[in-house]
Amino acid sequence: MQRRVRGIGAAAIAAAFVVAGIGIGAAPAQADPAETYLAVPSGRYPIDVDATPDDAYVFVISRGDGGESDLRVYDSTSFTELDVITFGDAAAFNPTAVQVSPDGTQVWVSFYNPGQILVYPAADLIAGGAPAPTVITGGGGFVDLTADPNGDYVYAATLFNPQYQFSTADPTAPPRTISLPNGSRGVTVSADGSTAFFTQYVAAPAGGVQAVDVAADGTLSTGVFTPTGDLPWGVTYVGAVDRVISSNSGTPTSLSAFTPPGGAVTTTPVDCGPRLADASPNGARGYLACLTGGIIAIDYTTATPSAARVPIGDNVESVAVSSDDAGVSHRLYATSGGSDELLVFTRPTVTGGGDQTVPEGTAATFTATADDFWQQIRWQSSADGGTTWVDVPGADGETLAVDGLLANSGTLYRLVATSAFFDPVASEPMLLTVTPAPTPVPCTPTAGSTSCPLAATGVDAGPAITGAAGGVLLGALLVVAGQARRRRIRSN
């Protein structure tokens, strides 16, 4: 396993999307430098990845170009390889998709050749065993798998009709099937499981996304067809915003998005060959793999969605999102066929150095560190107790110097890490307290004198003590005072 750092220049995506261009400037050394991610060696040409619902274990299939295809299992804490299931020579065994059932108990693997699906008990794979899979045979050409959120079914897309619905309760039960006008490359399911969406892999204008309605008992029927682009490939459903995103691998390569059923389609050219897709459950982020390199990330948190291609990974065929309980993307997995690696991007953690208290006139220095994957960091301040935050101009390092002015006392500061892959992450707020400088005591001369008495002794420091006698007396007083202080320290 390698830990890598890469630079980025965001590429233009155009048209309806607002492009998020991100530049990395010079900054002090970070706890983790910008764009830190894991690169895990994973067979020969890994092509798809999925994780258990709790993100504890990750499963990767490799098509084995020039060698043997296999399935590999990893612990997601250390990315230790727990098991390897070898399918056989890549010329005879061509795996295309891996899917973990929503309850985490089954691992499904589809094959274009031979035309079959293997279902493994996940616990046996995690334990490092060699379990005998349940073998499902079909017409051939399986290319993608997806599970409905309710956990009842796994759907399979095939280049040749029909398309399939299998029961997770009994994978050996006869599947339901439906024939569509054209073969499919990708499949996804709506958040409530009522609709499956299959891409129709044909040239425009016939290329698009075919909805298949799913009745309460699982019965399938043809729904609305939505033309999208040329040779549609991957597809994903973004539940929280009720949107279907599909990738078009023809000319030009593009992304399409629409609200089903039959909503207006926005199709935008992209500068890569997009493949499979995924999205965060809360609808904030969408992701598409780029066969020609990199990952396209789409941010739906703004009024107009913004998109950027992060150029990390070669021959990226698939992406998979792991999210926290709120549906926020926590980790992004991608398979890089060009480097034979599983790429792991983790949402950043930002840790602040704590509050600062300084005397008036002394500058305060705040510190914070950003770990894991981020592309830009910036400091923010709040003068209203954290209700509103504003960027501190030019502050994009791990340290922030603030003038020790009374006017700044009570201000909160935090460091925020941002990236195309994840929502912004902020450190805990840090409070600045500026203590006022001591106020001088007013001096009032005593009667009949033009000077003030010494505060410690009441002795007039004016003309009454002069010449050598005055010097001797003053020295004696200082010696006595010093001895008294030393005694006090010893007694304590």
Side-chain angles (χ1 to χ4, degrees), residues 188-449:
T188 191
V189 183
S190 62
D192 61 3
S194 66
T195 310
F197 300 94
F198 292 86
T199 56
Q200 298 290 273
Y201 185 68
V202 290
V209 176
Q210 176 66 60
V212 173
D213 297 328
V214 183
D217 64 354
T219 302
L220 306 178
S221 59
T222 304
V224 175
F225 172 72
T226 304
T228 55
D230 194 41
L231 300 179
W233 195 291
V235 63
T236 191
Y237 178 76
V238 189
V241 293
D242 190 24
R243 182 171 295 154
V244 174
I245 302 173
S246 65
S247 61
N248 306 302
S249 60
T251 303
T253 54
S254 61
L255 302 180
S256 294
F258 66 92
T259 298
V265 177
T266 299
T267 298
T268 307
V270 296
D271 64 348
C272 75
R275 286 297 190 260
L276 298 180
D278 203 1
S280 62
N282 71 349
R285 306 278 162 176
Y287 308 90
L288 285 102
C290 289
L291 183 64
T292 49
I295 301 164
I296 291 176
I298 307 170
D299 181 358
Y300 289 106
T301 61
T302 56
T304 301
S306 62
R309 183 171 66 87
V310 180
I312 295 177
D314 304 315
N315 290 66
V316 181
E317 295 269 6
S318 63
V319 289
V321 179
S322 174
S323 304
D324 61 20
D325 292 340
V328 178
S329 298
H330 165 75
R331 184 174 277 169
L332 178 66
Y333 299 104
T335 57
S336 178
S339 61
D340 294 338
E341 293 170 331
L342 168 67
L343 308 180
V344 184
F345 305 91
T346 302
R347 186 172 64 199
T349 300
V350 186
T351 305
D355 300 340
Q356 295 291 311
T357 299
V358 296
E360 183 181 0
T362 301
T365 300
F366 290 93
T367 63
T369 57
D371 294 325
D372 291 310
F373 188 83
W374 57 272
Q375 294 169 299
Q376 187 181 58
I377 53 176
R378 67 185 187 279
W379 285 91
Q380 293 182 332
S381 65
S382 174
D384 56 9
T387 300
T388 57
W389 293 88
V390 295
D391 291 347
V392 178
D396 57 359
E398 279 187 306
T399 61
L400 175 69
V402 180
D403 291 336
L405 304 176
L406 290 178
N408 291 334
S409 189
T411 303
L412 294 173
Y413 296 90
R414 68 181 185 182
L415 184 69
V416 181
T418 58
S419 76
F421 288 159
F422 304 105
D423 291 352
V425 177
S427 70
E428 65 275 19
M430 292 169 275
L431 175 66
L432 174 61
T433 301
V434 180
T435 58
T439 302
V441 178
C443 172
T444 303
T446 58
S449 172

Side-chain angles (χ1 to χ4, degrees), residues 40-49 59-65 70 72 74 95-96 291 314-318 334-343:
V40 184
S42 189
R44 306 182 70 168
Y45 205 99
I47 196 170
D48 198 20
V49 56
F59 303 85
V60 180
I61 56 169
S62 299
R63 72 186 189 190
D65 289 14
D70 58 39
R72 297 176 186 243
Y74 300 92
T96 54
L291 183 64
D314 304 315
N315 290 66
V316 181
E317 295 269 6
S318 63
T335 57
S336 178
S339 61
D340 294 338
E341 293 170 331
L342 168 67
L343 308 180

